[in-house]
Amino acid sequence: MSATATAPPNPALPPSNPSAALLTPSTPELDAALAAILDSDDPLDSEKFDPLLYINALFPDAQSLSALPVVLTRLKRHLRSIDQASRELVRAQTDAGEAAAKEIERVRGSVETLRGRVDHFRSSAVHTRALVADIAGDMAHLDRAKRNLAHAVAVLRRGQMMATALAQLSHLLHHRRYAPCAALLSAVLALGAHFSTYSRVPEFARMVAKCEDVQKEARTKVVEEFTAAFSAQPGVRPPLTSLRDACELVDAMERAGEVRKQVLDIYCESQLKEYRSLFRGNDEIAALDNTSRRYAWLKRLLRLHDAEHAGAFPPTWRASDVLCERFCDDTRTDLAGVLSRQGERLDVKGMLGVLKETIEFEGWLARRSQDGRKAKTGGVEGQEGVEGAEGQADTDAGVALESTPTSVTVTTPVGGTAAPGSQFRRRISSAFEPYLSHYIAAEDASVSSLVDTYRNKPVSEDDVAMGVLTSSTELFLYYRNALVHCAKMSTGKTLVDLSKMFAKWLGHYAEILAGRLQKDEKKPLSPEDLSVSCLVVNTADYCYTTISQLEERLKDKADPELKEEIKLDSEREKFLNVAATAIRALVRGVENSVEPGFTAMVKIPWASLDVVGDQNAYVVTIAAGVRELVSSIRQAIANGRYYRSFCDKFAESLLNKYANNIYRCKPISEVGAEQMLLDTHAIKSTLTQLPNMGSDTPSTPPTTYVKLVAKGVSRVETLLKIVMTPNEPLEGFLENYLLLSSQDSNLANFQRVLELKGLKRTDQQLLTDMFLRRTSPGGQNLPPGPLGTPIGVARTGTPAPTAGSVNAITGLPGISLGGTKVAMGTDFGFKRLMGMVSNDSPPPTVPAVGANGVAAASSSAATFAGTFAKLQTGWKATTGTGDDGRGAAVGAQPPPLPAAEKPKVDLNTAFQKMWTNQK
């Protein structure tokens, strides 16, 4: 109703409110912003304002239209208030822009004013910096002048002090007042160090020169003081304090070391003058057996030194050690002369006794030096230690020598950093070095007599209980004592010569061990021989290990430059060879012990066997003998490595012997070969158990050993399967031989197989001719093939057969061919046999062997197999095997023919007829 009363606005007319033209179109975002700012409850301010609903709310019915003028008046008033507020806002915005422009101009003026002030401050700062620099320069000049002035004053003051000190020092030296002279000289030298850079100043140069003159004067007076003191009688000697002060003056000098050495030389010369005149002027007293009197003389001198002279020297001078060093040098020179004059008349035993005494004396001197270093009581160096050690020299020398270092130090300067007492090691005993070859000769004779007792020494219960020959432990114990003794005397060339002597007799001892083994190669292994052989193995292993330790000890004791000359490698190799020889003796002895089993094997009539039974008695005999002996060997050999070596060698040797024994059993029938094949598997089982025989904790045999046994057994199986192959047809037998033997073209091997089968001479000759035509013309001179190769020996160009597979051509289980070629095509041989080709026709190309070592079944072989199957009646394996599956036929086995289709023709008769027609 109210909606129809309101006329719609005319769009062509201008708006009644001029401000309406300034309004922008309403958007949802603008409405939401206005609602958030105004926060009004007036419906006119709502963004969802609906005029129709608003009018209907104002005029709900016709009666309410009477209030229309009032409503219009109110709306107009509201509209005018809105217009007024809009105009005020526009006017305020215009006034704000003008005010902002004026404010910007005012700020710009303030910035310009500030910039001017900053420029003024900058120029002021530059000026101030220049002023400060000028002031700092003036202050630096003043400081430099002050330092120079202070330094000049200090130098002048030191110069005055040094001049005064030099004058006082000269006065004190003139009156021999050494105690104040020492302190004053130290001060003068400290002052003189400051004038070393002023040598161009004449006054300072004169003072430095005067300081040198004063030191020379002091040196002269000190030398005169000690010369007079120890050359005069004891009653007129100056007091010890005066000499002690003189020593302190020497320590204060610039070249104190030279003056100290000169003073000690004077003292030592004065003290050793009597010793030289006594022992160098009388040959009887200077004799080698009187060496102990020399050492006793020094001990008396040291007691005198400690009682009367030690106080004259500071402890740092070690006057006692220097005196002992000079005595040792003189004694070494005297003893070297005595030894050289004796020449061949030298008593080796007496020399070694003197050398031992000398080494003990050197150890005593070393201990005395160590005690003197530790003593800090009154400057006296270990008086009590000297007297106590004098009585204990013989008992303690060995301990001291054991603990002395191995390095050689002949001379140690006074005040050095070497270990106390190390300068006395080999100080005198080095004179005996050139003559210690006599000692080596004596040791050589002693070891020779010791080793000679081992040659015929029987094996004792102690040897068996220890597991090694006690002679080896005795020998190395003697070596150890000799090494300790020699190392005390010399660690130079003598020790190298001793190592060579050790090596020589170790080689002889290795020969003695090898000589204990059984020499009879056909004698069975008795319990005594078994025990001795195992003891030799253990002893050789013990010697091999101990030689390495001995070599290390020798090198540890030897001088560094001689370590490379000590080598015992060849001796270790000798004992390894002895152990290997002993193992071979055990292998040979066990083989001889089971020889009755092989003898029984030869006596079996293999050609007349008609049925395959259980394993033969000879196999039980061999297995029992092997098990009994090998168990004992396992318990007796200490090192498992050598037992594994025994197992390898014994398995190889036994299989070779078994293979060779098969040739002695000729002739062998096909049934006999099958029985022998069964026995071979029993022997293989025994050999496989070999590593665990006699062991309380059985384990899996080593893979290499299992392969070794399998390889040897495979060779025997190959031979027996060839024997199991039927003789007829001859060409088929030859083809099968070449297939199984991996193209063995050795004529001797082929003839041995023919003899083993017991063929007639005519058949052997025919097969031999066929063999020569199929192989190279020089087949008679070819090396042995796999059938003639010992177990463990590789054949060049033709790997040995391996067990564990089925041949694709022959169908024989447990064998695969490892050669590079297979036999000639069987189809060609069959055609030649049947007259299809001439005997002069060349053979076809031989197919290659597959990657797995099994000959691939060629088309020609398949053709021959098919033809052969058609000729066969009542299909059976031609090797004489029954239904148990042992053995195989030549060619692949086709399915059996139905019973109604089997022709009743004898296969051997058919081949015999074909062969007669061919001839």
Side-chain angles (χ1 to χ4, degrees), residues 726-734 767 830 833 864 868 908 911:
N727 306 337
E728 300 294 343
L730 298 180
E731 182 69 19
F733 170 76
L734 177 60
L767 285 171
F830 184 76
L833 180 64
F864 171 75
F868 188 77
N908 293 332
F911 270 102

Side-chain angles (χ1 to χ4, degrees), residues 159-179:
Q160 183 181 4
M161 293 170 59
M162 186 171 180
T164 304
L166 286 173
Q168 294 178 358
L169 186 60
S170 299
H171 176 73
L172 294 173
L173 281 176
H174 179 70
H175 293 85
R176 297 183 183 275
R177 297 172 58 187
Y178 299 120

Side-chain angles (χ1 to χ4, degrees), residues 106 162 228 243 275 414 528 599 769:
R106 187 184 65 78
M162 186 171 180
L243 297 178
Y275 171 74
V414 176
E528 293 77 12
T599 303
D769 295 339

Side-chain angles (χ1 to χ4, degrees), residues 811-830:
L812 294 176
I815 184 70
S816 63
L817 303 180
T820 56
K821 292 183 179 180
V822 298
M824 296 298 179
T826 8
D827 183 42
F828 174 80
F830 184 76

Side-chain angles (χ1 to χ4, degrees), residues 419-434:
S422 62
Q423 72 273 22
F424 295 111
R425 185 176 182 273
R426 296 177 59 190
R427 191 95 187 197
I428 304 174
S429 58
S430 59
F432 295 86
E433 183 79 24

Side-chain angles (χ1 to χ4, degrees), residues 255-308:
R255 291 185 291 274
E258 298 178 5
V259 184
R260 187 186 300 118
K261 182 179 181 302
Q262 186 177 2
V263 172
L264 290 175
D265 288 343
I266 294 172
Y267 173 70
C268 294
E269 290 294 328
S270 65
Q271 299 302 308
L272 296 177
K273 182 178 180 181
E274 179 186 355
Y275 171 74
R276 292 167 182 165
S277 62
L278 178 63
F279 287 94
R280 292 182 179 177
N282 191 329
D283 293 341
E284 182 179 355
I285 298 178
L288 192 63
D289 53 358
N290 287 327
T291 304
S292 58
R293 299 180 60 183
R294 296 175 180 267
Y295 304 147
W297 186 92
L298 178 63
K299 291 179 180 180
R300 290 194 299 271
L301 177 62
L302 291 176
R303 285 195 293 270
L304 175 64
H305 168 83
D306 294 336
E308 300 182 6

Side-chain angles (χ1 to χ4, degrees), residues 432-443:
F432 295 86
E433 183 79 24
Y435 307 96
L436 287 179
S437 58
H438 300 285
Y439 161 73
I440 299 299
E443 288 288 357

